[in-house]
Amino acid sequence: MSYQYKPDYQQPPYQQQYQQPPYHQQQQQPYPPYAAAPHPGPTPAYANSGPQWQQSPPQEYNDVKSPYEGDRFKPKKKLNDPIFLALFVLQFIGFVVLSGIALASYASTGGRGGGLGKPGAKTGATVTLNAATVYLLLLVTAAAFLLSTAFLMLTRAFTKMIMHITLILSIALNVGICAYYWITRYYSGAIVFTIIALLSVLSYWGYRSRIPLASLFLQVVMDVSKHHKSVYVVAFVALGLQSALAVWYTFTVIATYSKWTPGNPSCATSGCSSGKVSGLIFYETFSFLWTSQVIGNVALATLAGGPYGAWYYFGPRHQGEMPKNPTLTAFGRASTLSLGSIAFGSLIVTLLELLRLVLNMVQNNANAEGHPVEAILACCAACFVGIIESMVEYFNRYAYIEIALYGKPYIGAAKDTWRLFKDRGIDALVNDSLVGMTLTWGAYAIGLMSSLFAYLYLRITNPAYNAAGQYTAPVILFAFLIGLQCSLTLSSAIEAGVSTIFVGLGEDPQVLAIRAPELYRMIAEVYPEATRPISRV
């Protein structure tokens, strides 16, 4: 069954809707088919995506709100959170200066030698990475891009099956890690992952019952994105920036080791010490994580305040109600007036991530020195911080949508997001978690395939710096991270649409009854309280 697009269907302009009878008096008119709303093209009907719920009329509403209500899409011209904007700019300038000094020294000592699988790959410095690795990382990035695109296409075609597979894989991974830790007598990790494994097994049945609705959410967003090409433009630009930043960070770290590690020739003109190297690497990692977070979150705010938000509140472009260039307008707000707010939220996640990394190092040192009690405490602390980090990151995604739609400062957006979560409850968010789980597992698979590609490249080209295989593990790790980040960047474009619809559902649920009636009916059946608008105070 395929969609039948009806070009003669025209939704009345919003300003005309406000003069119509109340919403509940219009129920005798049938909902327009979903195909007439986002015009998704010849894809399977959503009515066949899950169980056939008994169709019940939506709840009654007395009005249809204006798309511009509450400064939506037209925020005040005010620079939000300027302190965090200044901090972000200063730390990035510091990274640029440090990177320039390190890379200049790295290049002057012959670090640019090497080529693409040719005899030239065995020239240049033999004690550190050379230009052969640059070609490798570029090839890994290209492969990750193609694999990410293929995964999204497969997910759209086999949504429910892939969701079920990834759910089982998540549980199997937790159980496998738990068993491995017990077998190797790594008791601190075994205790923590036993609890995680038990919780994941017990939650399986609840998650599985939500798959039909979650798959419908994902399919709606993917079909909307097909007719808003700016979704993929934003995702690809963010992907390119993330990839370039990852490669830049990689070579900055290598150059830092090369310049300031004791024993290098450059130490004759500059002070070298292990402490200096550790401090500089820590700062570079902090800058990389914060900047990477900001890039991804600016892309999220651009998509939420642009194509997805405009589709939800104004309808498809062909109806003539959507403002011109909504994506460019949203990007302008996210990269200027709201950049400080986005940097604020990103800094919180970055600090938690750094704290988790430090605790992992403490745990590893305690294990190496034979202190099991300290190792258990550090492991528990790292897991606890990791849970908080995931919760904050998840919470921030909805806060950035509020920032994108209304131009709020971070604290104000966080308060409204907390009100949304308290009203809707945890059960209504399970569907969003399933979508994220599916896309994250795809990212891990792409990261593994990227690392396999890097390993084969090293075996075939045999660069001089890796004659003894000492750089195989770092290169494979960086390839995995690049592949993982590339896929997560593309997937975040889809997750942004799911989250934006959820926010719109909380504020104006009657709009979704017009945009995607089948999705609205299923939500009304499973979560009837979700079709009640949240009062904003």
Side-chain angles (χ1 to χ4, degrees):
M1 177 179 180
S2 60
Y3 294 114
Q4 299 296 325
Y5 172 55
K6 300 179 180 180
D8 56 338
Y9 168 74
Q10 295 292 333
Q11 179 184 345
Y14 273 92
Q15 58 267 28
Q16 295 180 11
Q17 292 184 20
Y18 305 142
Q19 302 174 3
Q20 293 181 356
Y23 184 84
H24 66 278
Q25 298 179 11
Q26 305 176 31
Q27 296 301 312
Q28 68 274 12
Q29 299 179 4
Y31 289 113
Y34 177 71
H39 185 198
T43 48
Y46 293 125
N48 299 326
S49 299
Q52 299 298 312
W53 308 99
Q54 181 180 359
Q55 296 184 4
S56 56
Q59 296 186 13
E60 297 182 356
Y61 299 96
N62 294 325
D63 62 350
V64 178
K65 299 178 181 178
S66 167
Y68 296 105
E69 182 184 10
D71 293 330
R72 188 191 294 129
F73 298 111
K74 289 186 176 180
K76 298 178 181 178
K77 302 295 184 181
K78 178 184 176 182
L79 187 65
N80 295 320
D81 298 308
I83 295 177
F84 294 94
L85 174 60
L87 290 176
F88 174 74
V89 173
L90 290 175
Q91 67 82 25
F92 185 72
I93 293 175
F95 176 81
V96 171
V97 173
L98 176 60
S99 176
I101 296 173
L103 290 175
S105 175
Y106 175 69
S108 65
T109 57
R112 294 178 296 174
L116 181 59
K118 299 178 180 180
K122 299 186 179 183
T123 63
T126 59
V127 296
T128 186
L129 304 184
N130 56 33
T133 313
V134 176
Y135 293 107
L136 167 59
L137 296 179
L138 291 176
L139 291 174
V140 167
T141 302
F145 168 76
L146 295 176
L147 291 171
S148 301
T149 304
F151 175 74
L152 290 180
M153 295 173 64
L154 287 174
T155 302
R156 178 58 187 88
F158 307 101
T159 310
K160 291 174 62 178
M161 181 178 69
I162 291 180
M163 276 192 171
H164 205 159
I165 292 174
T166 55
L167 176 59
I168 295 175
L169 286 176
S170 298
I171 298 174
L173 177 65
N174 292 330
V175 174
I177 294 176
C178 172
Y180 173 77
Y181 282 161
W182 282 113
I183 292 173
T184 57
R185 299 182 181 181
Y186 182 34
Y187 297 117
S188 58
I191 294 173
V192 173
F193 270 91
T194 297
I195 299 174
I196 296 175
L198 288 175
L199 292 176
S200 63
V201 171
L202 293 175
S203 64
Y204 168 75
W205 304 106
Y207 271 105
R208 192 181 71 165
S209 63
R210 299 321 199 268
I211 287 179
L213 181 58
S215 63
L216 192 58
F217 254 111
L218 187 57
Q219 289 173 346
V220 168
V221 171
M222 284 185 170
D223 287 345
V224 171
S225 64
K226 286 196 307 183
H227 299 277
H228 290 268
K229 305 304 180 184
S230 57
V231 170
Y232 297 105
V233 172
V234 172
F236 293 158
V237 170
L239 173 63
L241 292 176
Q242 292 274 17
S243 303
L245 180 64
V247 175
W248 185 10
Y249 164 73
T250 301
F251 281 91
T252 299
V253 169
I254 294 170
T256 300
Y257 274 114
S258 176
K259 180 173 177 59
W260 284 289
T261 298
N264 282 323
S266 59
C267 291
T269 57
S270 62
C272 297
S273 67
S274 299
K276 177 181 288 188
V277 171
S278 299
L280 293 176
I281 296 299
F282 182 84
Y283 173 75
E284 290 164 358
T285 303
F286 165 76
S287 179
F288 167 70
L289 292 175
W290 194 8
T291 306
S292 180
Q293 284 276 338
V294 169
I295 291 174
N297 293 329
V298 167
L300 167 62
T302 300
L303 294 173
Y308 291 128
W311 172 83
Y312 190 92
Y313 286 102
F314 294 97
R317 185 182 292 108
H318 70 271
Q319 294 181 2
E321 295 297 321
M322 184 180 295
K324 293 183 178 180
N325 302 319
T327 305
L328 288 176
T329 303
F331 173 73
R333 296 196 301 267
S335 59
T336 55
L337 300 178
S338 298
L339 185 58
S341 302
I342 294 174
F344 187 0
S346 302
L347 177 61
I348 298 174
V349 177
T350 300
L351 294 176
L352 289 172
E353 190 168 357
L354 282 175
L355 178 58
R356 180 171 54 84
L357 292 175
V358 171
L359 290 172
N360 286 332
M361 294 175 59
V362 173
Q363 175 190 349
N364 293 332
N365 291 335
N367 282 324
E369 297 174 1
H371 301 298
V373 176
E374 290 85 345
I376 292 175
L377 293 176
C379 179
C380 293
C383 290
F384 180 71
V385 172
I387 292 173
I388 295 177
E389 177 190 344
S390 299
M391 294 174 61
V392 172
E393 196 167 9
Y394 184 78
F395 179 87
N396 276 353
R397 184 160 80 244
Y398 289 89
Y400 296 140
I401 293 173
E402 293 282 348
I403 291 172
L405 294 176
Y406 298 94
K408 302 173 183 177
Y410 177 77
I411 297 299
K415 290 180 180 179
D416 286 339
T417 302
W418 177 247
R419 188 180 301 114
L420 172 69
F421 280 18
K422 286 198 304 182
D423 187 271
R424 289 300 179 246
I426 299 300
D427 287 340
L429 302 178
V430 169
N431 303 285
D432 202 18
S433 300
L434 280 169
V435 172
M437 185 187 303
T438 301
L439 299 177
T440 301
W441 263 103
Y444 279 120
I446 291 167
L448 290 174
M449 286 187 282
S450 299
S451 62
L452 176 61
F453 178 84
Y455 173 75
L456 294 176
Y457 180 94
L458 291 176
R459 289 294 300 272
I460 294 172
T461 60
N462 192 26
Y465 67 82
N466 198 47
Q470 68 272 26
Y471 281 99
T472 298
V475 170
I476 289 177
L477 175 61
F478 283 123
F480 174 81
L481 294 176
I482 290 175
L484 177 71
Q485 190 63 49
C486 289
S487 182
L488 288 176
T489 301
L490 287 178
S491 299
S492 66
I494 304 300
E495 288 189 89
V498 176
S499 301
T500 303
I501 290 179
F502 190 86
V503 172
L505 180 66
E507 297 175 349
D508 301 284
Q510 72 278 10
V511 177
L512 185 63
I514 300 173
R515 300 286 176 262
E518 191 62 33
L519 176 61
Y520 180 86
R521 292 189 185 103
M522 187 176 287
I523 293 174
E525 180 70 23
V526 180
Y527 306 122
E529 70 279 3
T531 59
R532 171 179 51 82
I534 298 175
S535 59
R536 308 185 70 87
V537 294

